[in-house]
Amino acid sequence: KNEVEQSPQNLTAQEGEFITINCSYSVGISALHWLQQHPGGGIVSLFMLSSGKKKHGRLIATINIQEKHSSLHITASHPRDSAVYICAYISNFGNEKLTFGTGTRLTIIP
Amino acid sequence: SQTIHQWPATLVQPVGSPLSLECTVEGTSNPNLYWYRQAAGRGLQLLFYSVGIGQISSEVPQNLSASRPQDRQFILSSKKLLLSDSGFYLCAWSKGFNQPQHFGDGTRLSIL
C-alpha cells in the first residue's frame, strides 16, 4: 500500500470546471508539497504547506493535519492546466526525505 | 535568480555501459541537492541527497552512486548500467529541508 494515496488517478473535465484533487497520507508530517509535472516531464513546485490554506492565482491548496488529508483545487480550469499533479510529504520522524504519491493525471478539454 | 541545469535531456545507453548525469545550480550557495528517479508508470523515488560538498546520503541501495565535487554540482553515476535503470531522472535543489524543492528538466534514460 502506498504511503500517499491520491484520488482520482485520472480526471478529465471541461474547460472552466472546478477541479479537486485529493491526497491522503498515514503518518505525521512536517510539510506537504503539491507538484505539477508537464507532459515533457518537467516538474514545478506549486505549494508547500504545513497547515491551513494557500492560494496562488487559480490554484488553492488546503491541508487538514488532524485528518491527514490535503486537497488541490483549480478554479476556472484551462487546457494548459493539463498535467500530472503529485503530492509529497516530509515526515516528522526526523528523516527529511520526500515521499511521493503516484500522481493524478488531469486533462482539461476545450 | 536561481536556476538549475540538468543534462543531457535524453540518453540511450547499452546494458553494462557507464553513466554520468550532471546537474548544476546557479544563483544560490550551499543548497541541498537531490537525485530522483521516476520509473515508467510509477511515482518519484528519492535516490540520493546531499547537504554539502562530499556529503551524500543514499536512500535506495543499487548500482548507482552520486558525488558532489563542488557546492553547486551534483553528479549521478554508474559503472555498469542495468535494464532496470531505465527511467526519468530528476535533479532538484532546495535551500534546506522543509523548503520548496526546485526541479531540473530531467533526463530520460533508456537502456537497450
Side-chain angles (χ1 to χ4, degrees):
Chain A
K1 185 177 182 298
N2 199 10
E3 296 168 296
V4 186
E5 296 286 343
Q6 284 188 239
S7 63
Q9 288 186 310
N10 294 280
L11 177 58
T12 300
Q14 291 291 131
E15 183 174 355
E17 286 189 41
F18 180 81
I19 303 299
T20 296
I21 298 170
N22 297 299
C23 175
S24 297
Y25 50 92
S26 55
V27 301
I29 69 169
S30 58
L32 185 133
H33 296 248
W34 279 102
L35 309 170
Q36 180 191 53
Q37 185 171 29
H38 283 282
I43 289 181
V44 174
S45 178
L46 299 175
F47 297 102
M48 188 186 79
L49 64 167
S50 54
S51 65
K53 177 168 113 173
K54 286 191 176 181
K55 184 176 188 293
H56 182 70
R58 295 180 294 106
L59 301 177
I60 303 166
T62 63
I63 189 168
N64 185 317
I65 295 293
Q66 287 73 30
E67 294 186 2
K68 295 184 170 57
H69 180 267
S70 177
S71 293
L72 177 69
H73 305 284
I74 305 175
T75 61
S77 60
H78 189 276
R80 65 174 174 266
D81 297 325
S82 298
V84 176
Y85 292 85
I86 303 167
C87 74
Y89 69 74
I90 295 177
S91 79
N92 58 10
F93 293 158
N95 181 340
E96 302 285 359
K97 74 170 188 174
L98 276 173
T99 299
F100 294 84
T102 53
T104 293
R105 185 174 299 277
L106 174 66
T107 303
I108 303 297
I109 300 171
Chain B
S1 64
Q2 301 93 353
T3 56
I4 178 168
H5 302 281
Q6 190 182 337
W7 67 91
T10 58
L11 188 60
V12 180
Q13 292 283 96
V15 169
S17 63
L19 173 74
S20 180
L21 302 180
E22 188 163 343
C23 172
T24 59
V25 179
E26 296 176 1
T28 188
S29 59
N30 197 31
N32 282 6
L33 296 172
Y34 310 85
W35 277 112
Y36 294 96
R37 178 171 63 199
Q38 187 176 39
R42 303 188 67 179
L44 283 159
Q45 181 183 44
L46 178 65
L47 301 176
F48 302 95
Y49 68 91
S50 171
V51 298
I53 296 174
Q55 300 178 60
I56 308 295
S57 295
S58 173
E59 288 295 311
V60 182
Q62 55 208 318
N63 69 319
L64 299 172
S65 62
S67 62
R68 185 171 177 172
Q70 300 181 50
D71 181 45
R72 289 168 290 175
Q73 184 184 30
F74 205 23
I75 298 171
L76 182 70
S77 304
S78 175
K79 292 182 180 177
K80 279 187 178 182
L81 285 167
L82 306 173
L83 280 174
S84 57
D85 292 323
S86 293
F88 188 60
Y89 289 82
L90 284 152
C91 180
W93 74 272
S94 69
K95 288 187 178 178
F97 293 118
N98 263 352
Q99 296 290 320
Q101 293 191 17
H102 308 277
F103 291 80
D105 291 333
T107 295
R108 197 161 302 279
L109 175 64
S110 299
I111 309 299
L112 303 179

